[in-house]
Amino acid sequence: MDQQHLLGMTFSEIQKEISELGLPKFTAKQIVDWVYVKCVKSIDEMTNISIRNRDILKKRYDVGRIEPIDIKTSVDGTQKMLFPVKSGKFIESVNIPEDERLTICVSSQVGCKMDCSFCMTGKMGFLGSLTVNEILNQVYSVPDADELTNLVFMGMGEPLNNFDNVMKAIEILTADYGLAWSPKRITLSTIGVIPNLKRFLDESKCHLAVSLHSPLSGQRQTLMPIEKTFKAADIIELLREYDWSHQRRLSFEYIMFNGLNDSQVFARELSKLLSGLDCRVNLIRFHKIPGSDLAPSTEETMIKFRDFLTAKGFTCTIRASRGEDIFAACGMLSTKKTEIQ
């Protein structure tokens, strides 16, 4: 029987397992402290648990930590890590240093079902959802894990298509027995899977980023086929039901494509679509990917677009591009051709 991983279990789940093994109740508290706070890699390191009880644990469990098998470092300091997952596939995570912050961009799936025309992950197709262990392992096993300040679910996959595992990972990250992070240190990015989006809004306090990329439904559908099922207008209608004036932040991601969605006409339509909604808009330069005819907007065009939205009262920023030289920038994560020699 395959060993179960302790990394990825909640405190209550570990309590249940300990009870079934007939071990002292306090062992559960010891285990979560070793796994989630002291960040050990093996049960043998849990030195305040007796050798006998550690041997009992090792028959059924391991910690479940796996180091990245490849690390690439960008000229700007961004690091991209390659992790193996149980399915025999691979995922990528990205560490992004900036001033006093170190943000990890976490994957939630191998590949993605969404098939957005501008995204290399979407070109992989969908190869499976990650377990809670595989999500958390990215956080615990990257370089400088103890220096992480923020986490974004903006890596491979659509987080809301792996809702239960993503939410369980968030629960552990924010729990007192876990990293005890404030939910405000975590941002989930989604194309807007409405049923699970509503659950996310009701069940979490994390920040939200919605991938929009066009204010026009017809054009958005050519870029993002999901528009057929979950229209941007319906997503925004749902978001208007929530209070964004404090606590949780709402932002919209808008990748700019030369001559496609970057004119002042689109800026005007975007301002109409988001009118009255307390939000920010992040403008993102498109990163050229193989097999795509799309091209990035010019810096001048992006500045004009930003200035128009700023004049309309929106907080609008042009996101700095990070890690493009190692294919770690937005929309560039892909492990389709990766093979371990």
Side-chain angles (χ1 to χ4, degrees):
M1 183 178 71
D2 289 342
Q3 287 182 306
Q4 298 180 55
H5 302 314
L6 295 172
L7 180 70
M9 290 187 182
T10 64
F11 186 26
S12 60
E13 287 173 335
I14 291 176
Q15 286 178 310
K16 183 174 181 293
E17 297 290 325
I18 291 304
S19 175
E20 290 179 359
L21 288 174
L23 298 181
K25 288 184 179 180
F26 61 79
T27 308
K29 180 64 175 71
Q30 292 173 317
I31 290 172
V32 295
D33 184 58
W34 283 113
V35 173
Y36 293 121
V37 180
K38 295 185 173 70
C39 306
V40 298
K41 298 179 182 179
S42 72
I43 290 174
D44 283 329
E45 296 177 72
M46 302 179 183
T47 52
N48 62 351
I49 299 175
S50 71
I51 293 175
R52 174 186 173 275
N53 288 346
R54 275 182 266 162
D55 287 340
I56 291 172
L57 287 170
K58 285 190 292 182
K59 290 177 181 177
R60 187 182 295 190
Y61 311 101
D62 61 19
V63 171
R65 291 276 300 277
I66 300 177
E67 299 296 313
I69 58 175
D70 185 51
I71 300 176
K72 289 183 170 60
T73 302
S74 167
V75 293
D76 62 28
T78 298
Q79 288 184 308
K80 182 171 74 170
M81 282 71 61
L82 181 70
F83 287 96
V85 292
K86 191 174 182 180
S87 63
K89 306 298 182 181
F90 304 92
I91 56 167
E92 292 179 329
S93 310
V94 181
N95 267 3
I96 307 167
E98 184 178 12
D99 299 328
E100 301 301 314
R101 294 160 59 102
L102 180 60
T103 300
I104 182 169
C105 179
V106 170
S107 292
S108 57
Q109 296 182 308
V110 186
C112 186
K113 295 179 180 179
M114 299 298 102
D115 194 27
C116 297
S117 63
F118 47 83
C119 179
M120 285 182 65
T121 306
K123 300 302 180 187
M124 293 173 59
F126 176 65
L127 301 175
S129 287
L130 300 186
T131 64
V132 182
N133 169 265
E134 290 165 341
I135 294 170
L136 289 178
N137 183 63
Q138 297 169 73
V139 181
Y140 277 83
S141 297
V142 293
D144 302 319
D146 57 342
E147 297 180 18
L148 292 173
T149 60
N150 297 83
L151 182 151
V152 293
F153 282 98
M154 295 184 182
M156 300 169 66
E158 164 54 58
L160 294 186
N161 277 345
N162 190 13
F163 182 84
D164 291 338
N165 288 343
V166 166
M167 290 298 289
K168 190 173 171 183
I170 290 173
E171 175 189 343
I172 292 169
L173 290 168
T174 57
D176 289 341
Y177 65 82
L179 289 182
W181 277 19
S182 164
K184 299 174 187 63
R185 295 170 66 174
I186 299 172
T187 300
L188 182 141
S189 177
T190 177
I191 53 82
V193 181
I194 290 178
N196 284 343
L197 174 58
K198 179 168 176 52
R199 288 185 62 193
F200 174 77
L201 294 172
D202 291 338
E203 297 174 25
S204 92
K205 296 181 180 178
C206 298
H207 297 316
L208 176 69
V210 177
S211 296
L212 192 56
H213 311 316
S214 177
L216 305 182
S217 181
Q219 186 188 67
R220 186 173 188 259
Q221 186 172 313
T222 65
L223 295 168
M224 308 169 68
I226 194 64
E227 173 73 10
K228 297 176 185 176
T229 307
F230 300 121
K231 297 187 180 301
D234 295 334
I235 295 167
I236 291 167
E237 183 179 351
L238 171 64
L239 296 175
R240 290 186 187 280
E241 298 175 9
Y242 293 82
D243 179 12
W244 302 98
S245 60
H246 61 285
Q247 302 295 323
R248 181 160 49 190
R249 183 175 66 239
L250 171 63
S251 57
F252 290 91
E253 316 280 54
Y254 194 93
I255 297 177
M256 297 191 66
F257 306 102
N258 185 46
L260 186 66
N261 67 344
D262 60 353
S263 72
Q264 295 291 284
V265 171
F266 284 88
R268 188 175 301 111
E269 291 301 315
L270 183 59
S271 70
K272 291 179 183 177
L273 183 65
L274 303 181
S275 177
L277 196 56
D278 192 347
C279 64
R280 64 179 62 192
V281 179
N282 295 321
L283 303 180
I284 303 169
R285 182 170 63 85
F286 172 61
H287 303 101
K288 189 73 175 173
I289 63 172
S292 172
D293 294 330
L294 296 168
S297 300
T298 65
E299 187 72 14
E300 179 184 6
T301 298
M302 294 185 73
I303 290 171
K304 287 182 179 178
F305 202 100
R306 178 199 64 191
D307 291 348
F308 180 92
L309 292 176
T310 300
K312 291 292 185 179
F314 292 96
T315 299
C316 184
T317 59
I318 298 174
R319 180 183 292 169
S321 180
R322 303 295 300 274
E324 185 173 5
D325 58 315
I326 58 169
F327 275 66
C330 180
M332 301 185 80
L333 298 187
S334 172
T335 59
K336 184 175 182 180
K337 296 182 180 179
T338 298
E339 295 181 1
I340 303 304
Q341 303 300 323

Short mmCIF file of all heavy atoms in Angstrom, two decimals, residues 72-81 92-97 105 120 285 287-288 319-334:
data_model
loop_
_atom_site.label_atom_id
_atom_site.label_comp_id
_atom_site.label_asym_id
_atom_site.label_seq_id
_atom_site.Cartn_x
_atom_site.Cartn_y
_atom_site.Cartn_z
N LYS A 72 15.50 27.12 -12.66
CA LYS A 72 16.09 28.08 -13.59
C LYS A 72 15.94 29.48 -12.98
O LYS A 72 14.91 29.81 -12.41
CB LYS A 72 15.38 28.03 -14.95
CG LYS A 72 15.67 26.76 -15.74
CD LYS A 72 15.01 26.79 -17.10
CE LYS A 72 15.50 25.65 -17.99
NZ LYS A 72 15.22 24.33 -17.42
N THR A 73 16.99 30.29 -13.11
CA THR A 73 16.99 31.63 -12.54
C THR A 73 17.09 32.67 -13.64
O THR A 73 17.98 32.61 -14.50
CB THR A 73 18.16 31.80 -11.55
OG1 THR A 73 18.06 30.80 -10.52
CG2 THR A 73 18.11 33.18 -10.90
N SER A 74 16.17 33.63 -13.60
CA SER A 74 16.13 34.71 -14.59
C SER A 74 17.17 35.78 -14.27
O SER A 74 17.67 35.89 -13.14
CB SER A 74 14.73 35.33 -14.60
OG SER A 74 14.71 36.56 -15.30
N VAL A 75 17.45 36.61 -15.26
CA VAL A 75 18.35 37.74 -15.04
C VAL A 75 17.77 38.72 -14.03
O VAL A 75 18.51 39.48 -13.41
CB VAL A 75 18.63 38.48 -16.37
CG1 VAL A 75 19.43 37.61 -17.31
CG2 VAL A 75 17.33 38.94 -17.04
N ASP A 76 16.43 38.69 -13.83
CA ASP A 76 15.82 39.60 -12.86
C ASP A 76 15.64 38.96 -11.48
O ASP A 76 15.02 39.55 -10.59
CB ASP A 76 14.48 40.15 -13.37
CG ASP A 76 13.42 39.06 -13.60
OD1 ASP A 76 13.48 38.01 -12.93
OD2 ASP A 76 12.54 39.26 -14.46
N GLY A 77 16.16 37.75 -11.29
CA GLY A 77 16.09 37.09 -9.99
C GLY A 77 14.93 36.14 -9.82
O GLY A 77 14.87 35.38 -8.85
N THR A 78 13.99 36.17 -10.76
CA THR A 78 12.86 35.24 -10.71
C THR A 78 13.37 33.80 -10.87
O THR A 78 14.28 33.54 -11.66
CB THR A 78 11.86 35.56 -11.84
OG1 THR A 78 11.36 36.89 -11.64
CG2 THR A 78 10.71 34.58 -11.87
N GLN A 79 12.79 32.88 -10.10
CA GLN A 79 13.17 31.48 -10.19
C GLN A 79 11.98 30.63 -10.61
O GLN A 79 10.88 30.79 -10.09
CB GLN A 79 13.69 30.97 -8.84
CG GLN A 79 15.06 31.51 -8.45
CD GLN A 79 15.55 30.88 -7.16
OE1 GLN A 79 14.85 30.87 -6.16
NE2 GLN A 79 16.76 30.34 -7.18
N LYS A 80 12.21 29.72 -11.55
CA LYS A 80 11.18 28.77 -11.98
C LYS A 80 11.60 27.37 -11.56
O LYS A 80 12.71 26.93 -11.87
CB LYS A 80 10.95 28.84 -13.49
CG LYS A 80 9.85 27.89 -13.97
CD LYS A 80 9.50 28.11 -15.43
CE LYS A 80 10.57 27.59 -16.36
NZ LYS A 80 10.11 27.59 -17.78
N MET A 81 10.72 26.69 -10.83
CA MET A 81 11.00 25.35 -10.32
C MET A 81 10.15 24.31 -11.03
O MET A 81 8.97 24.54 -11.29
CB MET A 81 10.70 25.28 -8.82
CG MET A 81 11.77 25.90 -7.93
SD MET A 81 11.85 27.70 -8.02
CE MET A 81 10.22 28.18 -7.48
N GLU A 92 5.17 23.44 -12.88
CA GLU A 92 6.12 24.52 -12.63
C GLU A 92 5.55 25.51 -11.63
O GLU A 92 4.35 25.77 -11.61
CB GLU A 92 6.45 25.24 -13.95
CG GLU A 92 7.23 24.37 -14.91
CD GLU A 92 7.54 25.05 -16.24
OE1 GLU A 92 6.72 25.90 -16.68
OE2 GLU A 92 8.58 24.73 -16.82
N SER A 93 6.44 26.03 -10.79
CA SER A 93 6.12 27.09 -9.84
C SER A 93 7.16 28.19 -10.02
O SER A 93 8.26 27.94 -10.50
CB SER A 93 6.18 26.58 -8.40
OG SER A 93 5.44 25.40 -8.24
N VAL A 94 6.80 29.40 -9.60
CA VAL A 94 7.70 30.54 -9.81
C VAL A 94 7.83 31.34 -8.52
O VAL A 94 6.82 31.68 -7.88
CB VAL A 94 7.17 31.45 -10.94
CG1 VAL A 94 8.13 32.63 -11.16
CG2 VAL A 94 6.99 30.66 -12.24
N ASN A 95 9.07 31.65 -8.15
CA ASN A 95 9.36 32.56 -7.05
C ASN A 95 9.71 33.92 -7.61
O ASN A 95 10.61 34.03 -8.46
CB ASN A 95 10.53 32.05 -6.21
CG ASN A 95 10.08 31.22 -5.03
OD1 ASN A 95 8.90 30.97 -4.85
ND2 ASN A 95 11.02 30.78 -4.21
N ILE A 96 9.02 34.96 -7.14
CA ILE A 96 9.20 36.30 -7.70
C ILE A 96 9.64 37.25 -6.57
O ILE A 96 8.83 37.65 -5.74
CB ILE A 96 7.90 36.82 -8.33
CG1 ILE A 96 7.36 35.80 -9.34
CG2 ILE A 96 8.13 38.17 -9.01
CD1 ILE A 96 5.94 36.06 -9.78
N PRO A 97 10.93 37.62 -6.53
CA PRO A 97 11.39 38.57 -5.51
C PRO A 97 11.14 40.01 -5.94
O PRO A 97 11.31 40.35 -7.11
CB PRO A 97 12.90 38.27 -5.43
CG PRO A 97 13.25 37.79 -6.80
CD PRO A 97 12.02 37.10 -7.36
N CYS A 105 4.26 31.87 -7.13
CA CYS A 105 3.17 31.62 -8.07
C CYS A 105 2.98 30.11 -8.15
O CYS A 105 3.86 29.38 -8.63
CB CYS A 105 3.51 32.21 -9.42
SG CYS A 105 2.25 31.96 -10.69
N MET A 120 0.41 29.22 -22.85
CA MET A 120 1.09 27.96 -23.14
C MET A 120 0.54 26.81 -22.31
O MET A 120 0.50 25.67 -22.77
CB MET A 120 2.60 28.11 -22.90
CG MET A 120 3.30 28.89 -23.99
SD MET A 120 5.09 29.03 -23.75
CE MET A 120 5.59 27.31 -23.89
N ARG A 285 1.59 42.94 -20.24
CA ARG A 285 2.14 42.83 -21.59
C ARG A 285 2.09 41.37 -22.02
O ARG A 285 2.48 40.48 -21.26
CB ARG A 285 3.58 43.35 -21.62
CG ARG A 285 4.20 43.30 -23.00
CD ARG A 285 5.54 44.05 -23.01
NE ARG A 285 6.51 43.41 -22.13
CZ ARG A 285 7.29 42.39 -22.48
NH1 ARG A 285 7.17 41.85 -23.70
NH2 ARG A 285 8.17 41.90 -21.65
N HIS A 287 3.22 38.03 -23.56
CA HIS A 287 4.51 37.39 -23.79
C HIS A 287 4.35 36.40 -24.94
O HIS A 287 3.57 35.46 -24.85
CB HIS A 287 4.99 36.69 -22.51
CG HIS A 287 5.09 37.62 -21.34
ND1 HIS A 287 4.14 37.69 -20.35
CD2 HIS A 287 6.02 38.56 -21.04
CE1 HIS A 287 4.49 38.61 -19.47
NE2 HIS A 287 5.62 39.15 -19.87
N LYS A 288 5.07 36.65 -25.99
CA LYS A 288 4.96 35.86 -27.21
C LYS A 288 5.20 34.38 -26.92
O LYS A 288 6.14 34.01 -26.22
CB LYS A 288 5.99 36.35 -28.23
CG LYS A 288 5.83 35.75 -29.62
CD LYS A 288 4.62 36.32 -30.34
CE LYS A 288 4.56 35.78 -31.78
NZ LYS A 288 3.32 36.18 -32.46
N ARG A 319 1.70 45.88 -15.06
CA ARG A 319 2.48 44.91 -14.30
C ARG A 319 3.86 44.72 -14.93
O ARG A 319 3.99 44.52 -16.13
CB ARG A 319 1.76 43.56 -14.25
CG ARG A 319 2.54 42.49 -13.46
CD ARG A 319 1.84 41.17 -13.49
NE ARG A 319 0.59 41.19 -12.73
CZ ARG A 319 -0.31 40.22 -12.76
NH1 ARG A 319 -0.10 39.16 -13.52
NH2 ARG A 319 -1.41 40.31 -12.05
N ALA A 320 4.87 44.78 -14.09
CA ALA A 320 6.23 44.54 -14.56
C ALA A 320 6.38 43.10 -15.01
O ALA A 320 5.91 42.17 -14.34
CB ALA A 320 7.23 44.85 -13.45
N SER A 321 7.00 42.91 -16.15
CA SER A 321 7.21 41.56 -16.67
C SER A 321 8.39 40.93 -15.95
O SER A 321 9.45 41.52 -15.84
CB SER A 321 7.48 41.61 -18.17
OG SER A 321 7.69 40.33 -18.69
N ARG A 322 8.20 39.71 -15.43
CA ARG A 322 9.25 39.02 -14.68
C ARG A 322 9.48 37.62 -15.23
O ARG A 322 8.54 36.88 -15.51
CB ARG A 322 8.87 38.93 -13.19
CG ARG A 322 8.59 40.28 -12.52
CD ARG A 322 9.83 41.14 -12.46
NE ARG A 322 10.89 40.49 -11.70
CZ ARG A 322 11.02 40.58 -10.37
NH1 ARG A 322 10.16 41.28 -9.67
NH2 ARG A 322 12.01 39.96 -9.76
N GLY A 323 10.75 37.27 -15.40
CA GLY A 323 11.11 35.90 -15.75
C GLY A 323 10.84 35.48 -17.18
O GLY A 323 10.80 34.29 -17.48
N GLU A 324 10.70 36.46 -18.09
CA GLU A 324 10.36 36.09 -19.46
C GLU A 324 11.48 35.27 -20.12
O GLU A 324 11.22 34.37 -20.92
CB GLU A 324 10.08 37.34 -20.30
CG GLU A 324 9.60 37.04 -21.71
CD GLU A 324 9.17 38.29 -22.47
OE1 GLU A 324 9.32 39.40 -21.93
OE2 GLU A 324 8.70 38.12 -23.61
N ASP A 325 12.74 35.57 -19.76
CA ASP A 325 13.87 34.89 -20.40
C ASP A 325 13.95 33.40 -20.05
O ASP A 325 14.60 32.62 -20.74
CB ASP A 325 15.18 35.59 -20.02
CG ASP A 325 15.41 35.64 -18.52
OD1 ASP A 325 14.46 35.96 -17.79
OD2 ASP A 325 16.54 35.37 -18.08
N ILE A 326 13.25 32.98 -18.97
CA ILE A 326 13.23 31.55 -18.61
C ILE A 326 11.82 30.97 -18.76
O ILE A 326 11.49 29.94 -18.19
CB ILE A 326 13.75 31.33 -17.17
CG1 ILE A 326 12.92 32.13 -16.14
CG2 ILE A 326 15.23 31.64 -17.06
CD1 ILE A 326 13.21 31.76 -14.70
N PHE A 327 10.98 31.65 -19.53
CA PHE A 327 9.59 31.24 -19.76
C PHE A 327 8.85 31.05 -18.43
O PHE A 327 8.15 30.06 -18.23
CB PHE A 327 9.53 29.95 -20.60
CG PHE A 327 9.61 30.20 -22.08
CD1 PHE A 327 10.75 30.73 -22.65
CD2 PHE A 327 8.52 29.95 -22.88
CE1 PHE A 327 10.82 30.99 -24.01
CE2 PHE A 327 8.57 30.20 -24.25
CZ PHE A 327 9.72 30.73 -24.82
N ALA A 328 9.02 32.04 -17.54
CA ALA A 328 8.33 32.01 -16.26
C ALA A 328 7.29 33.11 -16.14
O ALA A 328 6.62 33.22 -15.12
CB ALA A 328 9.35 32.15 -15.12
N ALA A 329 7.15 33.93 -17.17
CA ALA A 329 6.22 35.06 -17.11
C ALA A 329 4.79 34.59 -17.34
O ALA A 329 4.52 33.43 -17.67
CB ALA A 329 6.62 36.11 -18.15
N CYS A 330 3.87 35.53 -17.18
CA CYS A 330 2.45 35.24 -17.30
C CYS A 330 2.13 34.53 -18.61
O CYS A 330 2.48 35.00 -19.69
CB CYS A 330 1.66 36.55 -17.20
SG CYS A 330 -0.13 36.35 -17.32
N GLY A 331 1.45 33.37 -18.51
CA GLY A 331 1.02 32.63 -19.69
C GLY A 331 2.07 31.74 -20.32
O GLY A 331 1.81 31.10 -21.34
N MET A 332 3.27 31.65 -19.70
CA MET A 332 4.37 30.93 -20.34
C MET A 332 4.70 29.59 -19.69
O MET A 332 5.62 28.89 -20.13
CB MET A 332 5.63 31.81 -20.38
CG MET A 332 5.43 33.13 -21.12
SD MET A 332 6.96 34.09 -21.27
CE MET A 332 7.74 33.25 -22.65
N LEU A 333 3.98 29.21 -18.61
CA LEU A 333 4.31 27.94 -17.93
C LEU A 333 3.78 26.78 -18.75
O LEU A 333 2.62 26.72 -19.14
CB LEU A 333 3.71 27.93 -16.53
CG LEU A 333 4.20 29.01 -15.56
CD1 LEU A 333 3.64 28.77 -14.18
CD2 LEU A 333 5.72 29.07 -15.53
N SER A 334 4.66 25.80 -18.98
CA SER A 334 4.27 24.62 -19.75
C SER A 334 5.30 23.52 -19.54
O SER A 334 6.51 23.80 -19.59
CB SER A 334 4.19 24.94 -21.24
OG SER A 334 4.00 23.78 -22.01
#
